[in-house]
Amino acid sequence: AQSVTQLGSHVSVSEGALVLLRCNYSSSVPPYLFWYVQYPNQGLQLLLKYTSAATLVKGINGFEAEFKKSETSFHLTKPSAHMSDAAEYFCAVSERNYGQNFVFGPGTRLSVLP
Amino acid sequence: ETGVTQTPRHLVMGMTNKKSLKCEQHLGHNAMYWYKQSAKKPLELMFVYSLEERVENNSVPSRFSPECPNSSHLFLHLHTLQPEDSALYLCASSQDPASGGHEQYFGPGTRLTVT
């Protein structure tokens, strides 16, 4: 069975600083990986996904993530944080042939300080 | 309407009430999901429907009863709930989940409070 861990339940960065949110996964087969963002009182919105094409995936709002098989990681980055990036971020994994088994990590709350 | 919509957005109910949550997707997807999001806990998958058939039921108590009358609509019927069932209930949809790789699109959620 697959699983996801996200290091750091809360991350704070200054406006303009690099954003790095960590995600490690466990999967018995090559995974599909996703990052979602959730703003207060809203549902989850897809930021980007990895489906075995390029290992560096670009998403919306200037975010990108790199799939590293050797490290079983899929960390999310953004070069320069903006106040509007403050939200909860979730990493998720699903397995080929069992796409309904979508497993989410516990989430990381990002705060952006002025 | 576009995307995934959920009604009501907020619901307060007593433990003896019966209520239903509604979800509708306008994306032409053939799979729909119910998730429970509680404070301090990971997102919990409750039910999965693919082509209107239930394919996943993650040991959810029987006081939660899903219904999927067609590929665009999903309901969650609630009865005799407990205070610990208070949470944000999220609906999602996707294309063919069996092959994987398809992102899920989420509705805004229903904030449920059980008193």
Side-chain angles (χ1 to χ4, degrees):
Chain A
Q2 68 271 41
S3 66
V4 176
T5 57
Q6 292 182 241
L7 184 63
S9 60
H10 187 202
V11 171
S12 292
V13 300
S14 297
E15 191 174 18
L18 171 71
V19 176
L20 170 60
L21 304 182
R22 299 178 186 276
C23 172
N24 288 90
Y25 69 91
S26 171
S27 177
S28 57
V29 298
Y32 296 112
L33 293 159
F34 308 80
W35 274 101
Y36 283 83
V37 61
Q38 185 179 30
Y39 299 101
N41 300 313
Q42 295 187 28
L44 278 66
Q45 178 185 4
L46 180 71
L47 279 176
L48 48 80
K49 69 174 184 179
Y50 166 76
T51 57
S52 78
T55 56
L56 182 63
V57 181
K58 294 189 183 299
I60 62 171
N61 302 338
F63 285 93
E64 63 181 35
E66 185 172 10
F67 172 69
K68 292 187 177 181
K69 183 179 178 180
S70 61
E71 299 177 8
T72 60
S73 69
F74 190 57
H75 301 332
L76 181 71
T77 61
K78 182 174 180 178
S80 177
H82 191 272
M83 297 297 288
S84 61
D85 295 326
E88 187 96 20
Y89 291 80
F90 295 91
C91 182
V93 61
S94 75
E95 292 185 339
R96 296 163 196 274
N97 302 320
Y98 292 97
Q100 63 268 28
N101 293 344
F102 219 82
V103 175
F104 283 87
T108 296
R109 180 165 300 280
L110 175 67
S111 296
V112 182
L113 308 174
Chain B
E1 291 275 16
T2 59
V4 181
T5 58
Q6 290 186 243
T7 54
R9 292 294 310 276
H10 300 272
L11 178 62
V12 179
M13 59 185 290
M15 288 190 284
T16 58
N17 291 159
K18 290 184 179 181
K19 295 286 185 182
S20 296
L21 309 185
K22 179 183 176 182
C23 175
E24 184 172 1
Q25 60 97 359
H26 310 268
L27 300 169
H29 291 160
N30 52 25
M32 297 187 77
Y33 311 76
W34 279 117
Y35 287 88
K36 178 183 179 183
Q37 187 177 34
S38 306
K40 312 289 186 187
K41 293 178 71 174
L43 209 59
E44 301 172 58
L45 178 63
M46 300 174 71
F47 300 104
V48 180
Y49 276 82
S50 178
L51 297 172
E52 300 150 44
E53 288 192 20
R54 190 189 307 179
V55 297
E56 188 84 14
N57 176 353
N58 281 349
S59 303
V60 178
S62 60
R63 57 186 183 269
F64 295 92
S65 175
E67 179 189 1
C68 188
N70 55 61
S71 60
S72 297
H73 294 85
L74 184 65
F75 295 89
L76 188 63
H77 304 298
L78 316 171
H79 63 98
T80 59
L81 294 190
Q82 304 298 312
E84 60 265 28
D85 297 323
S86 298
L88 182 67
Y89 288 85
L90 292 164
C91 174
S93 70
S94 76
Q95 286 291 6
D96 181 22
S99 60
H102 297 291
E103 61 269 31
Q104 296 182 12
Y105 292 81
F106 285 79
T110 295
R111 173 69 63 185
L112 174 66
T113 303
V114 181
T115 61

